Amino acid sequence: MSKPHEAGDEHGGDSRLDPVLPLPAQPVATGPAPEDAPATAKAVARDEGAVGRLAGTVHRLREQLQRAQAESEGRALVDLASGILVERLGCTPVEAAAQLDSLAAQAGLSTLELAADLVNQATRDEIADLARDFVTEAGQPARASVGLRLRSAEAGALAAGDAQAVAQSILQHALAPLGAVAVAIWAAHADQSLSLAGSAGFTDEEPARWRHVPPGVPTPARHALDNRATTSYGTLAGAALPSIGLREVSGGRIAVPAGTGGRIIGVLEICWAEPLPVQSQSIERQVQVLAELCAIALESHPLSEQDPRSKQPADPRLTELLDLTDGLNDPCLVLQPLLDTGDTPADFLIRHVNTSFVDFAGRPRNMIAGALLLDAYPLAAEPGGLFEKVEHVLATGEPFRAERMRLAAVVDTVSLTTQAQVSISRQGAHVVVVWRLDDGTPKVASLLQHAQRLGRIGGFEENLITGDIAWNDTLFDLHGLPPTAEPVPLDQLAAHVHPDDAHSIGRFLRSLLHHHRPASTAFRLQRADSVARHIRVVAEPVLDENARVTSVRGAYQDVSAQHWTEVALAATRDQLAQSQQETAERNRLALRLQHAIMPPSHGPVELHNLSVAVRYRPAEKDHLVGGDWYDAVALPSGQVLLCVGDVAGHGIEAATGMVALRNALRGLATTGAGPAQLLGWLNTVTHHLTDNVTATAVCGLYDPGSRQLRWARAGHLPPVLLRDGKAAALPKLGGILLGAIGQATYEEGRTQLETGDTLLMYTDGLIERRDRSVQDSMESLLQVARKPRQLGRAGQLEDQLDHLLRYTNADTDDDTCLIGVTVG
């Protein structure tokens, strides 16, 4: 048995192949540090700095490529919306783009969201209909993002160069929000075979395994083609069907035929990690729209060529090796060497990561599988690092194990390191790397990425001796510069800020460079694209052993949203103060209008043989000036008009509505019509008022000769009759409230009054309570109104009204109008 290659041991051991073994339980001893360790450390530090800069360059180039792809997809959608504005507004493309940004800011939407809405309104196609139906069903305008997702997927398909890019676009924009984790686009052929035109979300080796499906193989895509209909499976494992990603994505599947013009040319297969969720009709329509995009892609683009890196002669042990690594509980990578002309590994292709794989930089598995080792982990090229160990194991076949080994990665140009137990062995033509992380580094890396993105924070470090400046991607975005641009040195920062803020930058630099103190300031950044941003910068000087400033490191943060929020709050405060002043003035006007027509108290008035007294109790809050009204007047016919009403709402609108209805009813009563007819006419008047007024009312006509009362009600509480110390409500006659409909009829009642009777007419503010029904409140009123003696004198009538106002316990803080009528 060969001796394992120890950490730091560069020689020894035979070249026989070892199987993948679990990590050792005992630590591996390492030799003592050499005597010249300090000098060696400095040399390594210099090397690490060079490697770090190289890693940062690789990271920026990779991020630039991804950003360019995302921008091209979004640009297609924005260009469509800009074209619509050019056609409708008759403006130039530049003006249309500026108008689109302005409208998006005013609507509180992103430019992409507004662009999707404009395209939906202009096209009225399936995506527009689907978005509109989805919003209608949900009843929430915020859910309109389904239109944006589908439009973004469509734009990505238009900008894509092949079906592979189309698959990535529809997964990112449309299917990932639905919980899907992978997607495959199949091209159907006349011989009943299938070819994989594009895929996303699978590990690198899966597309190579499923590049071609021969006729007769029963896959979900084959069943969808045979049935010419969407086919769903709760779980792929439960369906017992083979398909791409079976080993890693065995949850729910949907296969949708893709075609145009009645001709099916392929299948869209969508994969979930969990059992298939319940699919609503809206989601089914979304999937059908995406299938149409795939059909267009299959017609427009040739099939994606197989990755040339996978065109290696098949290793007979590879399938067995992949199955073996998937059974390990520790993170595992399978590396395939990529040889240069001298048969020396130039890099290693990460052919596979097992199901237990955890990236200590916080990235998902599908970002690591299929990448090059130095692309995924550029700091592995440092002296004595992971790349060197893998290269040695490949060359000698001697396994390498270390209890603690330093692993490094770049997270948004920030170097992140961790310690891990590492085991490396050669298996045929491949190298297997197993590591076991012993801290929370992946979680820390993920938190760092999200914190920088959400906080719009860009980090920097400027070497004042060499002039080297390191910026992360966020900082380029804040300055409106492409990642290939030269960073702005601190001594030139004043030229990029608003002239009024130049003195703030001067104080900031003096604190850093002359006083050697950490400093911060805020300024207005003037970018080349004319977009002004409010930025806050925080930095600290880095001193050498002689207390000289060698570099400055810090961070910029975009605080524009906070600034404009403060500006908006200040404007809102001013507007609110003005609105409060206007509202108070309107309330005072409404109150004066109300008191001018209906004083809070009205002494007894003698109308023929009636004594009439009134009490009006306004709402406790001045801003709740209501629309309660009453009237008691002798008509030319000799009858007496008695009425009380309540206009819905409060404020000047309710007060003016009250005046309109009171005067209208007094004028209509001179016609000699009965109370039911009067309310019918008053309903028509109310319905045609411009302010959509509604009201309740009771209208009575009293004949002094016969002492008969004719009355009708429009949604109002019935009057109360007091006789011989007893109190009872008059019958509830039929009648809808005023203004609800254009034409209404009202029931009329007749009540014979006697000498000494008292009639009470009131609004609901007298009795309504939040904690009891109207019937209970009415019974409470009758109990308060009962007295053991008759009321025949005016003084007793006023006492009775005051007693009712004092002892009725309404709690709705509404106006109260109360009329007492005593027959003499």
Side-chain angles (χ1 to χ4, degrees):
M1 189 71 180
S2 63
K3 175 185 176 183
H5 174 54
E6 303 289 344
D9 186 4
E10 306 296 336
H11 306 286
D14 58 31
S15 60
R16 291 185 296 172
L17 302 183
D18 282 359
V20 178
L21 298 176
L23 291 171
Q26 300 295 328
V28 178
T30 57
E35 295 181 358
D36 59 344
T40 304
K42 291 183 179 180
V44 171
R46 288 194 299 270
D47 291 340
E48 288 181 353
V51 173
R53 288 192 294 272
L54 175 61
T57 302
V58 173
H59 178 77
R60 284 195 296 270
L61 291 175
R62 182 167 61 248
E63 293 294 328
Q64 180 182 358
L65 179 62
Q66 295 174 351
R67 187 183 301 107
Q69 179 180 357
E71 288 178 352
S72 66
E73 296 174 354
R75 192 181 302 115
L77 182 56
V78 173
D79 288 346
L80 287 173
S82 298
I84 293 172
L85 291 179
V86 169
E87 187 271 333
R88 291 186 176 179
L89 303 180
C91 58
T92 66
V94 175
E95 293 172 338
Q99 183 73 3
L100 188 65
D101 292 337
S102 176
L103 291 174
Q106 295 175 17
L109 302 172
S110 68
T111 303
L112 274 179
E113 288 174 323
L114 182 60
D117 288 343
L118 288 176
V119 174
N120 286 339
Q121 294 176 14
T123 57
R124 298 299 180 188
D125 58 3
E126 281 193 78
I127 294 179
D129 293 340
L130 179 58
R132 185 171 59 254
D133 293 345
F134 190 74
V135 173
T136 301
E137 293 172 7
Q140 299 175 357
R143 300 289 296 276
S145 59
V146 64
L148 173 61
R149 296 202 304 266
L150 294 178
R151 287 294 178 200
S152 299
E154 181 184 39
L158 293 175
D162 54 19
Q164 177 69 21
V166 172
Q168 294 170 347
S169 178
I170 65 175
L171 176 62
Q172 173 188 356
H173 295 299
L175 293 176
L178 300 181
V181 297
V183 64
I185 301 176
W186 302 95
H189 303 295
D191 62 353
Q192 302 298 308
S193 65
L194 296 171
S195 295
L196 185 63
S199 63
F202 301 105
T203 53
D204 185 67
E205 68 276 359
E206 282 298 297
R209 293 175 178 173
W210 291 91
R211 188 64 57 185
H212 179 75
V213 179
V217 177
T219 64
R222 183 74 266 160
H223 285 180
L225 285 174
D226 294 340
N227 299 330
R228 300 181 66 85
T230 300
T231 306
S232 302
Y233 302 93
T235 62
L236 186 61
L241 292 176
S243 189
I244 183 173
L246 174 61
R247 297 191 306 171
E248 56 190 47
V249 189
S250 59
R253 292 284 172 113
I254 292 181
V256 189
T260 58
R263 183 170 59 94
I264 298 178
I265 59 176
V267 177
L268 170 64
E269 186 172 348
I270 308 169
C271 314
W272 277 263
E274 305 297 332
L276 187 66
V278 177
Q279 304 296 304
S280 66
Q281 184 177 2
S282 174
I283 294 179
E284 292 176 357
R285 291 186 59 197
Q286 292 181 54
V287 170
Q288 292 171 358
V289 169
L290 295 174
E292 292 184 10
L293 293 179
C294 294
I296 295 174
L298 290 173
E299 285 190 332
S300 305
H301 307 301
L303 297 184
S304 302
E305 292 295 331
Q306 186 175 359
D307 189 341
R309 293 176 297 185
S310 65
K311 293 182 178 179
Q312 304 281 346
D315 187 339
R317 299 180 58 184
L318 179 59
T319 302
E320 180 182 354
L321 177 61
L322 298 183
D323 292 335
L324 179 62
T325 57
D326 283 339
L328 297 177
N329 293 325
D330 292 317
C332 177
L333 303 91
V334 178
L335 306 179
Q336 174 183 320
L338 301 178
L339 305 178
D340 56 17
T341 54
D343 288 339
T344 301
D347 205 340
F348 291 86
L349 174 67
I350 303 177
R351 285 297 305 269
H352 179 69
V353 293
N354 67 348
T355 54
S356 302
F357 178 79
V358 176
D359 175 47
F360 62 88
R363 294 166 293 186
R365 294 173 58 243
N366 57 2
M367 289 187 61
I368 304 301
L372 297 178
L373 180 61
L374 292 181
D375 280 351
Y377 302 101
L379 295 182
E382 62 188 0
L386 181 65
F387 187 90
E388 183 178 303
K389 303 303 181 186
V390 171
E391 192 176 34
H392 182 87
V393 170
L394 176 67
T396 64
E398 188 174 289
F400 167 85
R401 296 183 183 89
E403 180 67 17
R404 294 185 63 83
M405 180 176 180
R406 178 178 178 272
L407 299 178
V410 175
V411 181
D412 201 9
T413 71
V414 178
S415 176
L416 184 71
T417 62
T418 187
Q419 297 291 330
Q421 301 177 36
V422 178
S423 174
I424 307 175
S425 63
R426 192 178 76 187
Q427 304 293 333
H430 296 81
V431 177
V432 175
V433 177
V434 181
W435 64 46
R436 180 182 299 162
L437 304 174
D438 55 2
D439 60 17
T441 308
K443 185 175 182 179
V444 172
S446 179
L447 291 176
L448 174 62
Q449 290 174 323
H450 291 303
Q452 290 183 336
R453 175 179 58 83
L454 294 175
R456 294 185 60 79
I457 299 174
F460 72 92
E461 183 170 353
E462 180 173 343
N463 190 314
L464 301 180
I465 299 175
T466 64
D468 293 338
I469 304 174
W471 278 12
N472 68 356
D473 295 341
T474 305
L475 195 48
F476 283 98
D477 291 338
L478 293 184
H479 281 259
L481 298 174
T484 55
E486 290 294 329
V488 178
L490 287 174
D491 59 2
Q492 298 180 18
L493 184 59
H496 297 267
V497 307
H498 192 279
D500 294 343
D501 296 337
H503 64 283
S504 299
I505 299 299
R507 289 198 302 268
F508 168 73
L509 294 178
R510 282 195 297 274
S511 296
L512 281 174
L513 305 178
H514 296 287
H515 301 296
H516 299 178
R517 293 197 303 260
S520 65
T521 190
F523 60 90
R524 287 163 289 180
L525 178 66
Q526 293 183 322
R527 307 194 322 183
D529 55 7
S530 301
V531 175
R533 309 298 298 178
H534 290 260
I535 303 296
R536 181 172 183 82
V537 59
V538 181
E540 64 178 2
V542 179
L543 308 179
D544 62 10
E545 60 274 9
N546 298 319
R548 293 180 301 181
V549 180
T550 59
S551 62
V552 175
R553 60 192 174 202
Y556 292 86
Q557 183 177 19
D558 187 349
V559 294
S560 300
Q562 177 183 350
H563 170 79
W564 290 117
T565 298
E566 293 173 353
V567 172
L569 285 175
T572 301
R573 292 190 195 99
D574 295 340
Q575 185 177 5
L576 180 59
Q578 182 179 359
S579 299
Q580 288 175 337
Q581 183 178 359
E582 293 176 353
T583 301
E585 185 62 31
R586 286 166 59 89
N587 289 336
R588 285 193 294 269
L589 176 60
L591 192 59
R592 287 197 296 267
L593 176 63
Q594 188 180 61
H595 287 175
I597 296 183
M598 294 184 305
S601 63
H602 199 298
V605 176
E606 301 296 329
L607 297 174
H608 298 290
N609 59 352
L610 296 181
S611 293
V612 181
V614 176
R615 292 293 184 270
Y616 180 80
R617 181 175 62 193
E620 293 183 5
K621 298 179 181 178
D622 291 341
H623 69 275
L624 292 180
V625 174
D628 289 14
W629 54 277
Y630 64 87
D631 205 359
V633 62
L635 299 176
S637 62
Q639 295 178 315
V640 178
L641 172 67
L642 301 170
C643 59
V644 66
D646 185 2
V647 175
H650 297 87
I652 190 68
E653 292 81 6
T656 54
M658 169 268 292
V659 173
L661 296 186
R662 181 175 183 270
N663 293 339
L665 183 58
R666 178 175 286 192
L668 292 170
T670 61
T671 63
Q677 181 62 65
L678 291 177
L679 288 183
W681 288 339
L682 190 62
N683 173 74
T684 302
V685 172
T686 309
H687 184 71
H688 289 89
L689 289 177
T690 57
D691 293 331
N692 298 320
V693 173
T694 59
T696 63
V698 170
C699 177
L701 289 176
Y702 173 74
D703 183 3
S706 64
R707 290 188 171 87
Q708 188 180 64
L709 177 70
R710 299 164 58 200
W711 67 285
R713 58 184 289 271
H716 202 89
L717 295 171
V720 171
L721 177 62
L722 305 180
R723 176 179 293 172
D724 298 331
K726 299 179 180 179
L730 297 186
K732 267 193 174 182
L733 304 179
I736 193 172
L737 79 164
L738 303 173
I741 58 177
Q743 299 292 330
T745 58
Y746 295 89
E747 184 180 355
E748 184 174 301
R750 295 173 184 267
T751 300
Q752 185 64 47
L753 300 180
E754 300 175 2
T755 301
D757 287 351
T758 296
L759 186 71
L760 300 177
M761 303 172 70
Y762 52 92
T763 57
D764 54 8
L766 181 68
I767 67 169
E768 278 193 342
R769 289 189 60 84
R770 299 181 180 90
D771 58 353
R772 66 177 61 177
S773 67
V774 175
Q775 185 62 36
D776 292 340
S777 298
M778 190 72 185
E779 183 60 34
S780 177
L781 172 65
L782 296 179
Q783 291 177 1
V784 175
R786 294 187 183 108
K787 277 199 171 184
R789 53 189 174 83
Q790 294 184 351
L791 296 175
R793 297 197 307 273
Q796 291 178 326
L797 176 59
E798 290 190 273
D799 290 344
Q800 176 74 12
L801 298 186
D802 293 336
H803 177 77
L804 288 172
L805 284 178
R806 185 179 304 115
Y807 290 104
T808 51
N809 55 353
D811 67 351
T812 57
D813 194 23
D814 200 359
D815 287 8
T816 299
C817 182
L818 175 62
I819 302 178
V821 181
T822 297
V823 182

